[in-house]
Amino acid sequence: MTEELTLSQLRFLTLESQGLTKPYPFGKGKNAVLRALEHLGYLQIDTLSVVERAHHHTLWTRIPDYKAEYLDELVEEHKIFEYWFHAASYLPIKDFRFALPQMVEVKQSKTHYYNADPKVLKYVLDTIRGEGPKRARDFENETKKVGSWWSWKPTKIALERLFLQGDLMITGRNGMQKTYDLTENVLPNTIDTALPTELEFAEYLVKTYLKAYGFTTVKQITHLKTGELIRKNVDIVLKSMLQEGTIKQVNIENMPSVFVNESSLENSLNKTSSDIHILSPFDNSIIHRDRIKQFFNFDYKIECYTPKEKRQYGYFCLPVLFGDTFIGRVDCKAHRKEKEFEIIHLHIENTSIEIELWKESFVERMKSFATFNGCNTIKLTKVSPSKFTNKIRPLF
C-alpha cells in the first residue's frame, strides 16, 4: 500500500532529517558532533581549504558553536574513526564492523588498490609495532640511508594500503597530515568486529539512509555499490521493512515512489522552514547530485575541477538554501592572512522568491560564516543579476 505526499512535504521531511530546519538539531558542543555523526552516518573529509574544509563546514552548519578540535578529540577518544564511505569520511565507531567488508576486499586485492611492495608493508607495520604511531613524513629520513631499498613514496603507499585493509587506523591529524597506529591499539575491545553478512550490510545501508535523509530510493542506497547482489539484498530488506510496517512506500507528484520511515510520516507533515544555509559542496544533504536535481530542482556541480574558462559559477561555489528552496550559489574565498572573507560572486537564481524575504538572513549567515573562517571583514565583489547589488551590498 502506498501513500501520497506533496513534493514540499518530502523536501521538509529530508531537510529535517538532515538537521537543517532547527538552530541546534543535535544539541551543543562536542557531544552534538557525535550525535550528528551517528545520525548522518558519515561525514566526508575534503582537502580543499578555499573556505573552511568540508568536514568542519558541514558540522558548523548544524552546530553553531562547533569547534574544529571536536573532531580530533572524538578520534582520540575512539568514538569516531576514519575510513571510506563513498569517499574518505569520519564514521561512528559503533559502525566499525560495516567497514570490514571493504577492508577484506582491499586485503584480497592485488591490483585495484595501492599496490605496495610486501617488504615495504612489513617494514612499515614492524616499525609502527616497535616504535608507536607514525606519520608518512616520519619515514622520509629513511630515504637518506645509504643502501636503503625503500623510499618516501613506497612507505606512504604502504601506509595507505595498510590503512585501507584495516591493519592500521588513523589516530589523529595535523591539518591533512595523518598519524597511523595499529588497529589493535586503537579499536576499543567493546566494538563488535564480526564480519557482517551481505544481508546485514544491506540492512545497515538502508537504515543509515532512512535515518539520515527521512526518505530514500534504491538508487541512493546502492550509490557506487556495484553488482546485482547488493541491489537484491537491499530489495529484500526494504520488502521486509514494508511488511513489518516500519517504512512505507510513498508516491509524490510526478516522481518515482520513495521509501519513508513510518515515524517520519507522523512527525514531518505540513511543516515549513524559513532558515537559510550556506552549504558545503560536500555536505551530506547535497552530495547526491541526482537526488537534489530530482527532488529540489537544483542542478549543482562543483567547478574547482573544471577548467577556468568553462566555469559557469566559479571555483568553489556554495549552494544557498532558503527554506526548502535553493535560491542560488555563492563563490567565496577566505583570505586568512588579511582576515578578509570575499564573496567573489553571489548568483541569485530563484528570483520568484522576493529578495526582501531572505536578504537580511543571508547577510547574517555570511557574517557568521566569515567569523567561522577566521575573518573579520567581508568584501562583496559581484552579484548576479546586477540589479540586486544595491539591495545586498549596503547590508555588509
Side-chain angles (χ1 to χ4, degrees), residues 43 53 77 92 103 130 159 164 172 183 214 233 282-283 321 339 341 353-354 390 395:
L43 180 69
R53 290 188 172 97
E77 293 165 11
M103 293 177 182
L159 282 168
L164 286 172
T183 296
N233 284 326
F282 304 101
D283 191 289
L321 177 69
K339 294 189 178 299
F341 192 87
I353 298 177
E354 286 289 332
N390 289 336
L395 298 176

Side-chain angles (χ1 to χ4, degrees), residues 53-292:
R53 290 188 172 97
H55 40 290
H56 298 308
H57 183 173
T58 298
L59 288 170
W60 172 82
T61 299
R62 295 158 175 83
I63 306 168
D65 67 341
Y66 171 76
K67 293 181 174 57
E69 57 262 30
Y70 290 158
L71 274 177
D72 294 330
E73 290 172 8
L74 288 169
V75 170
E76 291 171 6
E77 293 165 11
H78 310 315
K79 293 179 180 177
I80 65 175
F81 73 107
E82 288 191 35
Y83 198 63
W84 203 260
F85 196 71
H86 70 268
S89 302
Y90 288 105
L91 298 154
I93 199 73
K94 68 182 182 62
D95 291 340
F96 181 82
R97 67 184 293 245
F98 296 105
L100 291 173
Q102 186 160 337
M103 293 177 182
V104 170
E105 182 184 340
V106 175
K107 202 157 196 170
Q108 293 175 346
S109 171
K110 298 186 183 300
T111 56
H112 297 301
Y113 295 88
Y114 293 91
N115 193 19
D117 185 320
K119 291 182 179 178
V120 183
L121 287 173
K122 184 178 185 303
Y123 163 73
V124 169
L125 209 53
D126 287 346
T127 301
I128 293 175
R129 182 173 287 112
E131 300 178 11
K134 296 287 183 184
R135 302 162 297 174
R137 65 184 299 177
D138 293 330
F139 292 95
E140 188 171 8
N141 290 336
E142 301 297 342
T143 63
K144 301 173 183 177
K145 290 185 178 179
V146 178
S148 295
W149 48 262
W150 54 80
S151 68
W152 162 240
K153 187 175 180 180
T155 52
K156 185 171 183 178
I157 290 172
L159 282 168
E160 287 301 310
R161 173 76 186 224
L162 290 164
F163 163 69
L164 286 172
Q165 68 185 33
D167 294 306
L168 298 179
M169 291 181 72
I170 294 168
T171 61
R173 281 178 176 266
N174 182 6
M176 296 307 291
Q177 189 175 119
K178 296 171 281 192
T179 300
Y180 301 84
D181 197 1
L182 300 178
T183 296
E184 63 201 58
N185 293 340
V186 179
L187 193 65
N189 55 21
T190 55
I191 297 301
D192 186 355
T193 56
L195 184 69
T197 65
E198 289 160 337
L199 195 60
E200 284 178 321
F201 184 72
E203 183 179 21
Y204 156 73
L205 290 177
V206 170
K207 291 183 176 180
T208 294
Y209 279 108
L210 281 169
K211 181 166 66 172
Y213 294 93
F215 76 87
T216 192
T217 62
V218 173
K219 183 178 181 181
Q220 183 180 9
I221 296 167
T222 57
H223 179 61
L224 299 181
K225 306 288 190 298
T226 58
E228 287 298 315
L229 185 58
I230 184 66
R231 180 175 287 271
K232 178 183 175 183
N233 284 326
V234 165
D235 286 337
I236 290 171
V237 172
L238 288 170
K239 184 177 180 180
S240 174
M241 293 177 75
L242 283 168
Q243 290 173 342
E244 293 169 359
T246 54
I247 63 171
K248 286 191 175 180
Q249 194 167 355
V250 173
N251 289 329
I252 49 173
E253 316 154 337
N254 304 314
M255 298 279 183
S257 60
V258 299
F259 299 94
V260 181
N261 271 323
E262 172 67 23
S263 57
S264 298
L265 283 173
E266 296 171 358
N267 298 328
S268 297
L269 299 183
N270 302 317
K271 295 181 181 179
T272 59
S273 171
S274 58
D275 293 338
I276 198 158
H277 293 291
I278 314 299
L279 299 174
S280 165
F282 304 101
D283 191 289
N284 298 54
S285 64
I286 63 160
I287 199 63
H288 297 277
R289 311 300 195 211
D290 291 345
R291 186 180 194 271
I292 289 299

Side-chain angles (χ1 to χ4, degrees), residues 37-48:
L37 196 50
E38 289 181 341
H39 181 85
L40 297 173
Y42 75 96
L43 180 69
Q44 183 168 334
I45 301 168
D46 194 72
T47 59
L48 294 170

